[in-house]
């Protein structure tokens, strides 16, 4: 299939591009590099040994999107493009709503005008809100989001679901990711956050290579086995393979489906830090700090729907995630700007 990847130069998009090519598909990337660089696409090309078509454009630029769809007969779209920093979305809500919603509306209108009716969307476990029980299942009612970023994901899910009601030929797969970490095992592509990372694993990786002094563990008094927050960390290559399966699924179905992409296992902050130190034989100094506002104690996925519908389940474990993250970080201490 010929598949458009919006935001395909980013962390998850770049890994998905590699896995799509490995599975025999033809991805085309559109990205404006607001949170990535063309270097990641050069690295993808190095891994797969062939060139990858790339358009530098804003997905909310209608003219550019029309041109891209005029020049390519797409079978399916994977929509990664969006701003994703939770804290930034609280201080810049309008920018987040504008970018994440405009890109989606322009993309869908362009798809509609060109008769492309299959889309896989990067949603997030954040849409569930703080549920009273784990694991999180797709049939749980959303309890609302805690920040504008999360609300954009919630709203986009509704926009896409509405499209399948208006036109029953549309096929929409809403993938709710849990906590993607890790990197391609080549060490060529990985997560390259700008500035000081907000998320746990990129922070740990930068402490491990000495770029940051120490990790602050946000709270050790949660009702979890060791008191630190528990999350469902998933290797980005497993996640990428889930997208390949989601495209196959979209090709053979209509309507909309919400599907969790997680491992089904919860690990605490200290589980992750200790595993990272052990498998990489490196020290990660940390201090216990106050809870981060808005954090929840624990979440992890029920991944059984992904297995039943997509025939997909995660194969890599926490050790693989820690090893591969450290390899990318050590080989690229300044990310893609080395
Ligand atoms: P990323 O920032 O690395 O990738 C997003 C890409 O979209 C970047 O390359 C960026 O330049 C591009 N982009 C943003 N706005 C654009 C626009 N208007 N036009 C063109 N390109 C644009 O993030 P990621 O971690 O790869 O996440 C991909 C998607 O998955 C995002 O939608 C994100 O919200 C979602 N998601 C991520 C996580 C996570 O923890 N990484 C979890 C759940 C959901
Ligand atoms: C994980 C755990 C922290 C940093 C976020 C978004 C979510 C999704 C994935 C996009 C928590 C602890 C963290 C640090 C720490 N993204 N932590 N010290 O908050 O589960 O999810 O990313 O959709 O929407 O909210 O991920 O990596 O920030 O935190 O102790 O310096 O690590 O308290 O328990 P989170 P995270």
């Amino acid at each position: 299939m010929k598949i458009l990847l919006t935001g395909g130069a980013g962390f998850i998009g770049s890994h998905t591009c590699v896995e799509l090519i490995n599975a025999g598909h033809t991805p085309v990337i559109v990205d404006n590099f607001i949170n990535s660089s063309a270097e990641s696409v050069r690295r993808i090309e190095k891994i797969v040994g062939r060139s990858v078509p790339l358009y530098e454009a804003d997905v909310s630029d209608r003219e550019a999107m029309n041109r891209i769809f005029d020049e390519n007969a797409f079978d399916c779209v994977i929509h990664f493009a969006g701003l994703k920093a939770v804290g930034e979305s609280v201080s810049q809500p309008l920018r987040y709503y504008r970018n994440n919603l405009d890109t989606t509306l322009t993309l869908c209108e362009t798809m509609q005008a060109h008769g492309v009716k299959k889309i896989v969307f990067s949603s997030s476990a954040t849409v569930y809100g703080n549920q009273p029980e784990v694991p999180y299942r797709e049939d749980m009612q959303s309890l609302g989001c805690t920040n504008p970023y999360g609300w954009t994901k919630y709203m986009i899910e509704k926009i896409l679901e509405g499209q399948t009601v208006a036109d029953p030929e549309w096929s929409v797969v809403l993938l709710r990711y849990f906590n993607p970490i890790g990197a391609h095992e080549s060490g060529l592509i990985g997560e390259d956050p700008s500035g000081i990372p907000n998320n746990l694993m990129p922070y740990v990786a930068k402490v491990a290579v000495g770029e940051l002094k120490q990790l602050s563990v946000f709270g050790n008094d949660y009702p979890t086995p060791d008191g630190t927050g528990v999350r469902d960390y998933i290797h980005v290559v497993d996640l990428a393979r889930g997208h390949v399966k989601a495209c196959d699924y979209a090709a053979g179905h209509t309507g909309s489906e919400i599907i969790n992409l997680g491992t089904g296992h919860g690990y605490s902050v200290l589980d992750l830090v200790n595993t990272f130190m052990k498998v990489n034989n490196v020290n990660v100094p940390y201090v216990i700090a106050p809870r981060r506002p808005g954090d929840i104690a624990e979440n992890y996925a029920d991944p059984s729907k992904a297995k039943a519908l997509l025939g997909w389940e995660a194969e890599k474990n926490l050790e693989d995630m820690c090893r591969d993250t450290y390899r990318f970080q050590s080989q690229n201490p300044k990310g893609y700007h080395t």
Side-chain angles (χ1 to χ4, degrees):
M1 282 189 275
K2 192 167 199 180
I3 302 168
L4 180 66
L5 311 188
T6 75
F11 172 46
I12 301 169
S14 56
H15 290 80
T16 302
C17 188
V18 169
E19 296 308 317
L20 285 168
I21 292 170
N22 288 344
H25 297 294
T26 307
V28 173
I29 292 176
V30 54
D31 204 300
N32 65 355
F33 303 128
I34 194 157
N35 196 37
S36 57
S37 80
E39 176 61 18
S40 77
V41 182
R42 286 192 280 276
R43 304 281 185 97
I44 296 170
E45 291 175 335
K46 205 165 170 186
I47 293 169
V48 298
R50 48 169 272 199
S51 67
V52 174
L54 166 68
Y55 291 90
E56 180 173 353
D58 191 312
V59 176
S60 54
D61 179 340
R62 193 175 297 274
E63 234 173 80
M65 292 303 284
N66 265 320
R67 188 165 48 82
I68 294 167
F69 276 76
D70 284 345
E71 289 175 6
N72 299 274
F74 294 118
D75 300 291
C76 183
V77 175
I78 310 181
H79 183 31
F80 298 105
L83 297 172
K84 64 161 184 177
V86 169
E88 194 179 65
S89 82
V90 175
S91 57
Q92 303 174 21
L94 300 180
R95 181 168 167 245
Y96 270 67
Y97 286 116
R98 173 65 73 193
N99 187 69
N100 292 3
L101 297 180
D102 261 7
T103 49
T104 304
L105 293 171
T106 304
L107 173 66
C108 289
E109 286 165 357
T110 314
M111 289 172 64
Q112 186 165 259
H114 289 78
V116 180
K117 300 188 177 190
K118 300 188 182 308
I119 183 167
V120 174
F121 173 61
S122 298
S123 191
S124 168
T126 198
V127 171
Y128 285 107
N130 189 1
Q131 298 286 337
E133 54 177 289
V134 281
Y136 286 11
R137 294 185 321 273
E138 294 86 346
D139 59 5
M140 285 171 157
Q141 195 78 8
S142 168
L143 296 180
C145 303
T146 53
N147 55 77
Y149 164 75
W151 282 115
T152 70
K153 294 294 174 191
Y154 180 95
M155 290 175 190
I156 295 167
E157 286 196 359
K158 297 297 168 204
I159 290 167
L160 294 174
E161 283 171 349
Q163 192 56 18
T164 63
V165 175
D167 182 347
E169 287 181 3
W170 271 62
S171 179
V172 167
V173 182
L174 305 169
L175 296 177
R176 288 188 179 166
Y177 312 156
F178 280 69
N179 288 54
I181 58 171
H184 191 263
E185 63 176 9
S186 63
L188 285 169
I189 55 173
E191 189 166 13
D192 180 21
S194 54
I196 296 177
N198 301 303
N199 295 114
L200 177 63
M201 184 57 118
Y203 205 104
V204 167
K206 282 183 187 282
V207 172
V209 295
E211 200 183 311
L212 295 170
K213 198 170 130 257
Q214 64 185 16
L215 172 75
S216 294
V217 174
F218 297 143
N220 68 348
D221 56 355
Y222 285 106
T224 60
D226 66 18
T228 66
V230 166
R231 298 290 183 274
D232 187 338
Y233 297 98
I234 174 168
H235 197 295
V236 65
V237 171
D238 276 332
L239 192 79
R241 291 177 183 156
H243 290 73
V244 178
K245 299 282 190 178
C247 290
D248 292 342
Y249 180 84
H253 294 80
T254 54
S256 73
E257 287 291 348
I258 296 170
I259 302 179
N260 287 340
L261 290 186
T263 66
H265 302 291
Y267 290 103
S268 73
V269 175
L270 293 181
D271 288 335
L272 185 147
V273 173
N274 289 328
T275 305
F276 194 100
M277 292 199 279
K278 188 183 87 195
V279 300
N280 296 314
N281 195 21
V282 66
N283 192 28
V284 178
Y286 64 83
V287 289
I288 304 297
R291 291 182 179 193
R292 183 173 64 178
D295 270 353
I296 59 176
E298 174 179 44
N299 76 12
Y300 57 91
D302 178 339
S304 53
K305 188 172 174 185
K307 189 168 184 194
L309 259 53
L310 307 182
W312 171 92
E313 58 188 329
E315 289 168 5
K316 292 175 182 283
N317 61 27
L318 189 61
E319 296 195 349
D320 300 321
M321 302 181 214
C322 291
R323 213 178 279 119
D324 292 339
T325 299
Y326 188 55
R327 188 180 302 110
F328 176 75
Q329 190 68 44
S330 322
Q331 290 180 17
N332 307 275
K334 295 198 165 49
Y336 290 122
H337 303 287
T338 24

